[in-house]
């Protein structure tokens, strides 16, 4: 017999990348909210506006404090989130090197990491590359 007990963790730190800023932010925010957690999001400084707008839209439909956004470089804001005792889980998408750094600094925090995705593209010989 097996069962799952869903217990909120508290605060989830979501560190998002520049590519697919809305999609990848939602991959972190939606499960956290569904599990009754709050979120502190640090969007990439290379593309923060879409993720910040997403947080604004979500905040219009949830109580204050469910989604919180903190902008700044990952080396400063992200690192502060990773070592913070007020954040119980880190969800990160990015490089293997940064993922290893986060895991070395996070202590006993729960971590979810998507590191250097491998999305190959195959172009067949008969592809009409010039066609639009």
């Amino acid at each position: 017999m097996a069962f799952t007990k869903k217990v909120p963790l508290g605060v989830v730190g979501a560190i998002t990348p520049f590519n697919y800023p809305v999609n990848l932010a939602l991959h972190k925010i939606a499960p956290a909210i569904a599990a009754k957690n709050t979120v502190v999001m640090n969007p990439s400084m290379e593309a923060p506006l879409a993720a910040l707008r997403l947080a604004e839209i979500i905040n219009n439909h949830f109580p204050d404090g469910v989604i919180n956004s903190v902008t700044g470089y990952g080396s400063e804001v992200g690192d502060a989130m990773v070592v913070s005792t007020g954040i119980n889980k880190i969800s990160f998408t990015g490089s293997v090197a940064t993922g290893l750094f986060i895991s070395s600094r996070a202590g006993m925090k729960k971590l979810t990491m998507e590191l250097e995705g491998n999305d190959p593209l195959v172009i067949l010989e008969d592809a009409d590359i010039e066609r639009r």
Side-chain angles (χ1 to χ4, degrees), residues 37-48:
N37 298 292
T38 60
V39 178
V40 175
M41 178 178 60
N42 173 224
S44 168
M45 288 298 290
E46 294 175 13

Side-chain angles (χ1 to χ4, degrees), residues 2 6 19 21 30 32-33 44 81 97 112-113 115 124:
K6 297 178 181 173
N19 58 338
I33 292 174
S44 168
M81 289 170 63
T112 300
M113 300 201 184
L115 305 176
L124 302 176

Side-chain angles (χ1 to χ4, degrees), residues 3-64:
F3 65 93
T4 301
K5 185 175 181 182
K6 297 178 181 173
V7 178
L9 295 171
V11 180
V12 174
I15 303 172
T16 63
F18 71 94
N19 58 338
Y20 308 108
V22 172
N23 184 354
L24 293 174
L26 278 173
H27 280 226
K28 299 171 183 333
I29 294 169
I33 292 174
K36 299 182 181 178
N37 298 292
T38 60
V39 178
V40 175
M41 178 178 60
N42 173 224
S44 168
M45 288 298 290
E46 294 175 13
L49 298 180
L52 291 172
R53 179 68 175 126
L54 172 68
E56 182 181 328
I57 291 167
I58 292 170
N59 273 325
N60 289 333
H61 300 280
F62 285 91
D64 289 342

Side-chain angles (χ1 to χ4, degrees), residues 80-103:
M81 289 170 63
V82 168
V83 299
S84 172
T85 57
I87 295 179
N88 308 92
K89 176 185 172 132
I90 297 291
S91 180
F92 169 76
T93 300
S95 71
V96 170
T98 303
L100 290 171
F101 181 76
I102 288 171
S103 64

